[in-house]
Amino acid sequence: MSLQCGIVGLPNVGKSTLFNCLSNAKAQSANFPFCTIEPNVGVITVPDERLNQLADLVKPQRILPTTVEIVDIAGLVKGASKGEGLGNKFLANIRETNAILHVLRCFDDPNVVHVDGSVDPVRDKEIIDAELMIKDLETVDSRIQKVQKQAQTGGDKQAKIAYDVLVKYKAALEQGKPARTVTLDNKDEQTLANELFLLTSKPVMYVCNVDEASAANGNKYVEQVRNAVQEENAEVLVVAAKIESEIAELETYEERQMFLEEVGLKESGVARLIKAAYHLLKLKTYFTAGVQEVRAWTFEEGWKAPQCAGVIHTDFEKGFIRAEVIKFADFIQYGSESAVKEAGKLGVEGKEYLVQDGDIMHFRFNV
């Protein structure tokens, strides 16, 4: 699947350092703005303990995890909506992503220059928000001009729906609120809203980049961010990018775990970030398990069995007959597919079955 999360933020907040930890693709990381000019794309493995648990039981020849795409986008500055800095390129790149990981600097370090001269993550957040909202307001105003007459004088139902949605967005944006805060009344409005591709309608997670001492419990800057985003329905994640880069250089799993314990963490920030990005995109995982391979497959929340079968191959969806489903907990409890069948826990599902996260699937098809 080609769904992507874009890492955004002001220059020198730790975006590229974080991206380097996430991916083998090394973005240039330097102490000056715009060192990342073209967006770097990393296809990153999603950590999932369930995959290893299944592999321990099945003993397959290979294990294949699922992935998520992360895009490192050039740093933005005030005035980007008017083309300042790399503004136009930034806005085009972010429009192509499905969700936003907004990195905020939440650490003091006199050796790392801040583009605005001081550390203030809420101000930094508002700078980027303002630029995105200005661009969205331009989009909304332009669309209103096109549909207003049809909506108010004609009998065009779609134009009326479009106008109502646009007016809602305009009111929110003019109040300094992102499009994602707007409540839509029905599916028709949601469909039309999706066609607008507004920058501030994308789901967002604020990634607070902190110093080592704040890696486990955050700090005053993190609390400021949490208070500022309370009404946004957005997640906040605390990561110490400098520590993560040090962890990434350690060769063994045992060394990495010892390092994490020393700073008071059970799991690396990178692992938490990848999982959170995956969920931010509303992605889920189902598994196939056999002696050749145990594999994780990505699907979108709300997909039915034939759509999920199509992730493996389009023929599976076209010729879908049924899906044989084992719940993850049942597989772990009974230890094998045959034992699950003997216990009467294997489900046979049709085309309307909503696949659940963690399902172990076997598709029957005929083309």
Side-chain angles (χ1 to χ4, degrees):
M1 299 180 71
S2 58
L3 296 180
Q4 295 180 334
C5 277
I7 298 183
V8 306
L10 292 179
N12 294 351
V13 297
K15 298 188 324 303
S16 294
T17 301
L18 199 55
F19 180 82
N20 288 344
C21 298
L22 287 166
S23 172
N24 290 328
K26 297 294 182 183
Q28 182 187 358
S29 182
N31 187 18
F32 54 88
F34 311 131
C35 61
T36 310
I37 297 176
E38 294 296 331
N40 293 268
V41 181
V43 180
I44 297 162
T45 297
V46 178
D48 195 326
E49 296 79 5
R50 297 173 299 181
L51 194 63
N52 295 326
Q53 289 178 265
L54 288 174
D56 287 342
L57 293 172
V58 177
K59 304 290 191 296
Q61 294 174 20
R62 60 180 181 270
I63 305 169
L64 294 173
T66 190
T67 59
V68 63
E69 289 189 12
I70 306 288
V71 186
D72 181 25
I73 297 172
L76 175 145
V77 294
K78 192 180 293 184
S81 59
K82 305 300 180 187
E84 293 294 326
L86 297 170
N88 291 330
K89 196 162 190 60
F90 173 96
L91 295 167
N93 290 335
I94 197 173
R95 197 179 295 280
E96 293 169 7
T97 64
N98 304 93
I100 298 170
L101 305 177
H102 187 161
V103 182
L104 297 168
R105 177 172 169 175
C106 293
F107 65 90
D108 294 304
D109 186 342
N111 296 317
V112 179
V113 177
H114 190 289
V115 71
D116 282 326
S118 63
V119 177
D120 185 341
V122 174
R123 176 203 59 208
D124 295 352
K125 166 197 167 324
E126 289 173 349
I127 287 172
I128 287 191
D129 283 352
E131 297 303 326
L132 299 184
M133 285 189 277
I134 289 169
K135 206 67 182 176
D136 278 350
L137 196 53
E138 289 177 9
T139 300
V140 167
D141 283 338
S142 174
R143 291 292 294 270
I144 284 176
Q145 290 176 13
K146 291 179 181 178
V147 302
Q148 186 171 11
K149 188 173 182 181
Q150 291 171 288
Q152 293 178 335
T153 61
D156 190 329
K157 182 182 176 183
Q158 286 302 109
K160 178 70 168 65
I161 294 170
Y163 181 72
D164 290 344
V165 169
L166 290 163
V167 167
K168 287 181 183 180
Y169 279 137
K170 182 177 174 66
L173 292 165
E174 287 181 339
Q175 292 172 41
K177 296 179 180 179
R180 74 182 72 88
T181 63
V182 171
T183 301
L184 301 173
D185 294 333
N186 52 54
K187 196 171 182 179
D188 288 340
E189 287 194 349
Q190 185 62 61
T191 299
L192 195 134
N194 292 341
E195 294 171 359
L196 295 173
F197 297 104
L198 297 181
L199 299 169
T200 64
S201 68
K202 298 176 187 291
V204 65
M205 177 168 61
Y206 294 100
V207 182
C208 295
N209 184 16
V210 301
D211 56 273
E212 180 175 337
S214 308
N217 300 311
N219 55 28
K220 64 178 182 180
Y221 296 127
V222 175
E223 290 309 309
Q224 290 168 9
V225 173
R226 286 194 172 117
N227 291 333
V229 304
Q230 280 181 350
E231 297 181 5
E232 279 192 40
N233 192 28
E235 295 181 48
V236 176
L237 188 74
V238 178
V239 173
K242 189 175 180 181
I243 289 179
E244 297 298 324
S245 63
E246 293 173 8
I247 292 172
E249 293 176 5
L250 297 175
E251 292 185 6
T252 68
Y253 173 80
E254 288 74 18
E255 285 179 311
R256 291 192 288 271
Q257 286 306 115
M258 284 178 61
F259 193 112
L260 287 170
E261 288 174 14
E262 286 176 10
V263 295
L265 296 173
K266 292 181 180 179
E267 187 178 31
S268 76
V270 162
R272 289 184 286 114
L273 179 58
I274 296 169
K275 290 178 182 178
Y278 194 71
H279 292 300
L280 191 65
L281 292 166
K282 294 187 176 178
L283 300 179
K284 303 289 184 183
T285 302
Y286 75 82
F287 302 98
T288 52
V291 291
Q292 287 191 333
E293 69 176 27
V294 168
R295 182 165 183 167
W297 301 88
T298 298
F299 69 99
E300 290 187 46
E301 187 178 312
W303 276 15
K304 294 179 180 179
Q307 289 173 288
C308 288
V311 174
I312 298 175
H313 197 285
T314 53
D315 284 351
F316 282 32
E317 182 173 6
K318 290 175 186 174
F320 179 88
I321 299 171
R322 65 180 182 273
E324 296 172 359
V325 183
I326 300 173
K327 295 302 176 185
F328 177 79
D330 289 335
F331 199 104
I332 298 302
Q333 180 182 344
Y334 294 101
S336 69
E337 184 176 330
S338 58
V340 169
K341 288 179 180 178
E342 286 176 17
K345 294 291 186 179
L346 185 142
V348 178
E349 305 290 351
K351 292 182 178 180
E352 294 304 307
Y353 176 68
L354 281 172
V355 177
Q356 303 299 305
D357 186 57
D359 280 353
I360 298 158
M361 312 285 291
H362 183 72
F363 299 106
R364 301 292 183 182
F365 70 102
N366 182 30
V367 176

